[in-house]
Amino acid sequence: MRTLTPAALPAALACLALAACATAAPDASPKADLVIWGGPIHTGVDGAAEAQAVAVREGRIAYVGARAGAQAQVGPNTRVVDLRGAALFPGFTDGHAHLRGVGERELSLNLEGAKSAAEAAGRVRAHLEARPGAGPVWGRGWIETGWPEGRFLDRKDIDPFTADRPVLLVRADGHALVANSAALKAAGVDETTKAPPGGEILKDKDGRLTGMLVDNAMALVAKLQQPQNEAEKRAAYAAAFKVETAYGWTGVHNMSVDWADVALLEDLAAKGQAPLRVYNAVDAAEASPLFESGPRQSPDGRITTRTVKIYADGALGSRGAALFEPYADAHSTSGLIRTPPEQMKAQMTAAYASGVQVATHAIGDRGNAVVLDLYEQVFAATPPNVRMRAPRWRIEHAQILRPADIARFPRDAVIASMQPSHAIGDLHFAPARLGDRRLDGAYAWKSLVEAGAVVVGGSDAPVERGDPLIEFYAAVARKDLQGFATPAWRPAEALSRAEALKLFTRNAAFARFAEDELGTIEPGKRADLTAFSVDLMTAPEAEIPKGHAVLTVVDGEVVYERRRAEP
C-alpha cells in the first residue's frame, strides 16, 4: 500500500475530486424518459411564452423551456419525439362524453351523417340484409336537421322491409328513438298507451303512432334490448379507447356510467388496458354504492369515480328541453322535466353528505333554473360546520339560459359543462325552436366566462362526432363546418383562442379536482400532452377542423402517434 506524505496529500485529493467529477458528470442529473421538441409548445400557463421543449421523467413533466435545456436531459434511453412543426398543448380532456357509447357506435348500426330519412332507411335495410335474423336491431345517430323531408324518422320509413323484426333507431341526442311497428307490437305499445311522466309518445294528425318515443317514453321499449355481457362491454371500451386517443384526448369525463362499469374500467386499468384518464359520473339510478363508499380511484390514478349524473330535462332537438314558454315551432309543448324535483333534491342531498360531486343534465331555460334552485336549496340546508368547501357541482350542457341566470353560476360556484359543437349543429334549427329573444342566453359561453363562471368544454360523443378540433373550432368560430352562421346567431358569444384552450385543459382539470396535477405544461405535473398538426392558437379558423392529432401522451406514455405516411 502506498503512503502519501503530508505535502503530497492536497494534490492527491484534488486529483481524486477531479476524477470523481469526471465520472459523475454524465449521471449528475437523471435523464428524461421522453423529450418532445420541434414545434410550438403552448403551456396553457397565463402569460407564459411558447416553450421549445418538454422533458418527461417517471410520468411527470421534468422540464419546460429552451431546447438546449432539454438536450442536456437526453440520455441513451431517452425517447426523443420531433414534432416536425406540429403544436403541443396540455392534454386535451373531453369534459362530457359517453365512453362506452363511443365504442358501441363503432361496432353497431351507425346512422350518423345520413342526409335524409330515405338514406337512413336505406342504411337500415342494407344492415338487415347483411345480418339476417330475428332479434331486435338497434341503431343510433340519425338527426333530421337539414333533411328534405323536414321531419323526424317515422315507423312507416322502415316498416316496408322490416317485417316482424323489431327495429329501434335512437336519435343522435339520445333523447328520442323511432320504433317500427314490429317493435311497438313486441313492447305492447299502441295508441291507448299512456306516456310515462317525463316522456312523450308522438302521434300523427290522425292519432296514429309515428313510432317516435321521447325521453322517458323510450323505457317502454327498453325491454327489447338484450343487456350487454361483459365481453361486449370490454370490446366497446377497447374500441372507444382507440378512437379517443387517436383524436388526441388524454382524458374523458365519462357520463351516465353504469355502476358495474366502474369495476370493469378499474380492472382494465389494472391490466394496463386503459390508455385514457377516465373520470366517471355514475347514473343516479345506480349511485347508491357510490354514496355509501364515497369517491374512489384506481391505484394508478387512471380511473376516478366521484360524481353522480342526474337528468333534469330532455334535449332541444326532440323538444324535450324544459322551457318557461312553449316552443316557437310547437306551441303545444314546453318540454319535459324528466326527474321530479323532489327526487333530484334527495339525490343531491345524499351526494352532498357523502362528498360526491353532482353533475346535472339541463338544457332548457326552465330546466337550468330548476337545477340552480335545487343546488341553492341543498347548499343552504347544510349546516355551515359540515358544509363542503367548493363542491364544484356542475350543470351538463347549460345550453339555454335566461340572461338573469348566468350570474348565478359564478355566485354559487356552479361549473357550466358545455359542448361547443352543439351550437354549430343546432344553429340550423334552434332559432325556429326558440325564437330570436331566447337566443340571448343560448350557448352563452362568452357571457358565462365574462361573468366569472368556470366553463368546461366537451363533445357529448357519441351524440356529436367527438373530435377536439371540431369542438375548439366551434368555440372560437361559432359557425358550422362550412363557415355558415347568421348575424342573429349571437357571434359575440364566440371565445378567444386562449379562453377556448382553457375549456379543454385547465378548466377540465379543475372540474375533476385535479388542477394541481393536470391542465397545464409545468414541471411537476403529470405528463398528459396532446399535439395537433395545426396550431390552434395561430391557424386561420377554417383550417382548425382540417387538422388531426399527431401525438397523445398520458402519464408520459405515448398512447397514440400518427405515422407520417398516414393520410
Side-chain angles (χ1 to χ4, degrees):
M1 180 176 179
R2 181 184 177 189
T3 302
L4 294 175
T5 65
L9 186 59
L13 291 174
C15 289
L16 287 172
L18 287 172
C21 290
T23 302
D27 301 314
S29 61
K31 299 305 180 184
D33 301 314
L34 174 68
V35 166
I36 304 173
W37 57 36
I41 297 174
H42 301 281
T43 65
V45 178
D46 288 340
E50 286 181 16
Q52 294 179 334
V54 173
V56 175
R57 186 169 57 247
E58 296 181 353
R60 292 187 179 270
I61 298 167
Y63 171 84
V64 183
R67 179 164 175 155
Q71 180 68 61
Q73 301 199 35
V74 175
N77 298 317
T78 303
R79 180 177 181 187
V80 178
V81 175
D82 188 338
L83 294 169
R84 299 188 187 181
L88 188 71
F89 299 89
F92 266 51
T93 293
D94 189 334
H96 181 115
H98 305 271
L99 193 55
R100 178 148 60 91
V102 171
E104 290 168 354
R105 177 177 62 187
E106 301 299 307
L107 304 174
S108 63
L109 171 56
N110 185 4
L111 301 177
E112 181 184 10
K115 294 180 172 54
S116 66
E119 181 183 336
R123 290 194 196 181
V124 176
R125 185 169 191 163
H127 181 88
L128 295 174
E129 289 174 350
R131 300 166 182 81
V137 173
W138 288 76
R140 177 171 183 146
W142 64 270
I143 184 168
E144 77 289 347
T145 303
W147 281 3
E149 294 90 350
R151 59 170 174 79
F152 292 142
L153 271 178
D154 190 290
R155 64 185 173 90
K156 294 177 183 177
D157 294 317
I158 52 179
D159 274 352
F161 54 85
T162 54
D164 296 326
R165 191 171 185 184
V167 176
L168 304 105
L169 308 173
V170 181
R171 192 176 182 273
D173 59 15
H175 286 266
L177 64 79
V178 63
N180 69 343
S181 294
L184 294 171
K185 182 178 178 180
V189 178
D190 60 24
E191 281 76 11
T192 66
T193 303
K194 292 185 178 180
E200 275 191 288
I201 301 172
L202 301 190
K203 299 177 182 179
D204 62 21
K205 61 182 180 180
D206 298 320
R208 303 295 302 275
L209 298 178
T210 67
M212 280 291 294
L213 306 175
V214 180
D215 283 312
N216 291 355
M218 294 190 292
L220 297 172
V221 295
K223 61 185 178 183
L224 300 181
Q225 187 169 25
Q226 294 296 319
Q228 283 185 316
N229 59 39
E230 185 168 314
E232 291 170 330
K233 288 183 180 181
R234 287 177 182 269
Y237 278 116
F241 289 146
K242 184 176 181 180
V243 168
E244 298 296 90
T245 54
Y247 271 138
W249 297 117
T250 61
V252 171
H253 295 189
N254 188 23
M255 295 290 143
S256 307
V257 180
D258 293 344
W259 180 251
D261 283 20
V262 173
L264 189 156
L265 284 162
E266 290 173 349
D267 182 64
L268 290 173
K271 294 176 178 176
Q273 298 172 358
L276 279 177
R277 199 176 300 285
V278 180
Y279 185 72
N280 289 320
V282 177
D283 189 275
E286 302 189 23
S288 294
L290 180 61
F291 294 156
E292 293 170 6
S293 69
R296 56 192 276 169
Q297 187 174 72
S298 63
D300 64 353
R302 288 285 173 93
I303 312 298
T304 302
T305 306
R306 67 172 299 163
T307 306
V308 58
K309 171 72 181 299
I310 300 171
Y311 281 92
D313 64 354
L316 187 69
S318 50
R319 299 190 185 89
L323 303 177
F324 279 105
E325 299 174 9
Y327 279 81
D329 60 352
H331 295 166
S332 61
T333 183
S334 57
L336 306 164
I337 293 293
R338 290 184 57 182
T339 307
E342 60 272 16
Q343 182 178 336
M344 286 193 280
K345 186 175 181 179
Q347 293 166 339
M348 294 169 184
T349 300
Y352 199 98
S354 58
V356 169
Q357 185 185 38
V358 173
T360 307
H361 166 114
I363 289 183
D365 54 8
R366 179 162 59 101
N368 277 280
V370 166
V371 175
L372 289 167
D373 288 346
L374 290 172
Y375 283 4
E376 289 176 354
Q377 291 169 25
V378 173
F379 296 157
T382 306
N385 62 319
V386 298
R387 187 169 298 166
M388 289 173 58
R389 181 175 296 177
R392 302 187 191 184
W393 284 12
R394 308 159 50 136
I395 293 184
E396 304 302 313
H397 310 305
Q399 206 161 292
I400 314 300
L401 304 171
R402 294 181 299 185
D405 284 334
I406 289 174
R408 299 176 69 184
F409 281 80
R411 187 186 75 196
D412 297 328
V414 174
I415 294 167
S417 173
M418 307 177 78
Q419 300 74 49
S421 61
H422 286 338
I424 66 170
D426 293 6
L427 69 85
H428 294 284
F429 68 84
R433 294 279 195 278
L434 298 170
D436 183 74
R437 177 175 53 80
R438 282 185 289 204
L439 294 182
D440 282 342
Y443 317 88
W445 318 310
K446 189 76 167 186
S447 292
L448 283 160
V449 168
E450 291 184 342
V454 174
V455 180
V456 173
S459 73
D460 205 10
V463 173
E464 301 285 354
R465 172 84 322 241
D467 184 342
L469 295 180
I470 292 176
E471 298 300 332
F472 192 95
Y473 164 82
V476 301
R478 204 173 174 86
K479 302 170 185 174
D480 71 12
L481 293 175
Q482 288 70 49
F484 170 81
T486 69
W489 195 237
R490 307 305 192 265
E493 291 292 348
L495 297 176
S496 71
R497 310 266 180 135
E499 290 167 339
L501 181 62
K502 288 181 181 179
L503 264 58
F504 305 100
T505 55
R506 290 175 58 173
N507 292 359
F510 178 87
R512 57 160 295 166
F513 301 85
E515 66 272 21
D516 292 335
E517 293 277 288
L518 304 167
T520 57
I521 302 178
E522 296 181 86
K525 288 197 170 182
R526 290 185 178 273
D528 287 12
L529 307 164
T530 303
F532 295 112
S533 62
V534 60
D535 188 342
L536 307 181
M537 312 309 285
T538 60
E541 282 180 357
E543 296 302 310
I544 293 173
K546 298 177 183 178
H548 55 261
V550 300
L551 186 72
T552 309
V553 179
V554 179
D555 278 328
E557 175 190 358
V558 176
V559 297
Y560 172 79
E561 186 172 13
R562 189 181 179 106
R563 296 182 180 181
R564 302 299 176 180
E566 291 183 38

